[in-house]
Amino acid sequence: MLPNLIIIGAMKSATTSLHYYLNCHPQVSMCRQKELDFFIEGRNWGKGPGWYESHFTRPAEVRGESSPNYTNHPTNAGVAERMHSVVPEARLIYILRDPVERIVSHYVHKYADGGEDRSLPRALADLEGNSYVERSLYHMQLCQFLEFYPLSRILVLTTEELRGRRAETLRRVFEFLGVDPSFSSPRFERMRHRSELKRRKTAAGRRLEALLRGALLDRLRPDWRWHVDRLLFYTLSRPVERPRLDEDLRRRLVERLTPDVERLRALTGRDFSEWGFPVPRTARTEDALDKALT
């Protein structure tokens, strides 16, 4: 069996929580290993469709996976074309977050993992061709998929509505997927992997990780590894304080991202007023939405 649902991102936008909530539904089976990254050429594409299909063994009306790295164009180019060649009838969910807040959370994630040593201002000194910024260009990322999938097969959500109006938002997700929209669960009260829990390993912690990687850590499923990693290295790590953007850097980011946000508004007919971006006074009309889709 192949999946008929793929959460394509965005990174640091509650994809883990959404994956968890969907898996609670009796008509939905989400892949046990999150982030298969199958359609990324430099990762698992070479393992072939058989490897991909082996991750979907439980029969269900909806079978899904979540790989936020699918919306990392141009670093991961060609994802949508490869995806369409294997699962052309899949439904896609793209969950977004305030683009500036997503960038900061992305930075914290990378710094905690040891992949970033620069300060946030230094990491964002040049906004052109910047990997942090490109993942927050949601319209640009979405357009890669619209070349192969109609907008009617892509559900656009926001982290803010999943947090603030969870029951209503999940009902909309279930309706989109064609499963019982009235389903609810006490487990919907949880949000997973919050950025304030991020920790960065000390030098001793990194040495221990290197020793255990081949023998233990690399053999664990990613969802288990997070818990094992936290248990083993808690005392050998330090909390990562979320940096604050100064006003000048925030202004530069908003200026860089605003054109993309405006195109996203025109495409979806939504104003995304929950984000820290000015909302134009003129409301988007159905005519404007029809024009954006042609």
Side-chain angles (χ1 to χ4, degrees), residues 56-108:
F56 305 95
T57 57
R58 186 161 68 91
E61 293 179 42
V62 175
R63 302 169 303 281
E65 67 127 327
S66 307
S67 294
N69 288 319
Y70 290 158
T71 44
N72 186 22
H73 183 82
T75 300
N76 298 332
V79 167
E81 183 176 7
R82 286 188 285 271
M83 185 180 293
H84 187 263
S85 73
V86 177
V87 285
E89 300 302 319
R91 293 185 181 273
L92 312 181
I93 296 179
Y94 193 21
I95 182 167
L96 315 176
R97 180 181 184 178
D98 180 299
V100 173
E101 294 302 313
R102 196 217 65 80
I103 287 171
V104 177
S105 187
H106 184 177
Y107 168 84
V108 170

Side-chain angles (χ1 to χ4, degrees), residues 81-204:
E81 183 176 7
R82 286 188 285 271
M83 185 180 293
H84 187 263
S85 73
V86 177
V87 285
E89 300 302 319
R91 293 185 181 273
L92 312 181
I93 296 179
Y94 193 21
I95 182 167
L96 315 176
R97 180 181 184 178
D98 180 299
V100 173
E101 294 302 313
R102 196 217 65 80
I103 287 171
V104 177
S105 187
H106 184 177
Y107 168 84
V108 170
H109 173 88
K110 197 168 181 180
Y111 182 84
D113 281 355
E116 178 63 85
D117 291 316
R118 297 171 295 177
S119 67
L120 182 61
R122 286 185 59 199
L124 297 175
D126 185 356
L127 300 185
E128 295 301 321
N130 187 295
S131 62
Y132 292 114
V133 174
E134 286 174 342
R135 283 191 184 242
S136 280
L137 295 173
Y138 301 138
H139 179 268
M140 181 271 284
Q141 298 292 345
L142 189 55
C143 281
Q144 312 310 310
F145 292 87
L146 289 174
E147 292 185 28
F148 300 94
Y149 293 90
L151 187 59
S152 61
R153 299 195 74 83
I154 304 175
L155 180 62
V156 176
L157 306 172
T158 70
T159 304
E160 292 81 6
E161 64 188 346
L162 185 65
R163 285 176 175 163
R165 302 188 300 277
R166 191 164 306 155
E168 172 190 333
T169 302
L170 289 175
R171 183 179 185 90
R172 183 151 57 96
V173 172
F174 297 149
E175 288 175 346
F176 171 73
L177 296 176
V179 297
D180 180 8
S182 65
F183 176 77
S184 186
S185 169
R187 289 178 287 180
F188 290 171
E189 298 301 314
R190 298 182 62 188
M191 287 292 284
R192 300 171 69 86
H193 295 192
R194 298 188 303 274
S195 60
E196 62 265 28
L197 301 179
K198 289 290 185 182
R199 300 176 70 87
R200 181 179 168 104
K201 294 179 182 67
T202 62

Side-chain angles (χ1 to χ4, degrees), residues 7-50:
I7 299 175
I8 59 174
M11 181 184 182
K12 309 312 299 177
S13 299
T15 58
T16 299
S17 291
L18 181 58
H19 183 107
Y20 174 77
Y21 299 148
L22 284 167
N23 206 41
C24 294
H25 198 293
Q27 294 172 271
V28 179
S29 175
M30 298 300 290
C31 178
R32 292 182 68 186
Q33 177 180 329
K34 187 173 175 284
E35 301 189 29
L36 292 178
D37 289 339
F38 174 64
F39 298 106
I40 299 173
E41 188 171 28
R43 298 202 179 183
N44 292 318
W45 178 247
K47 295 180 179 179

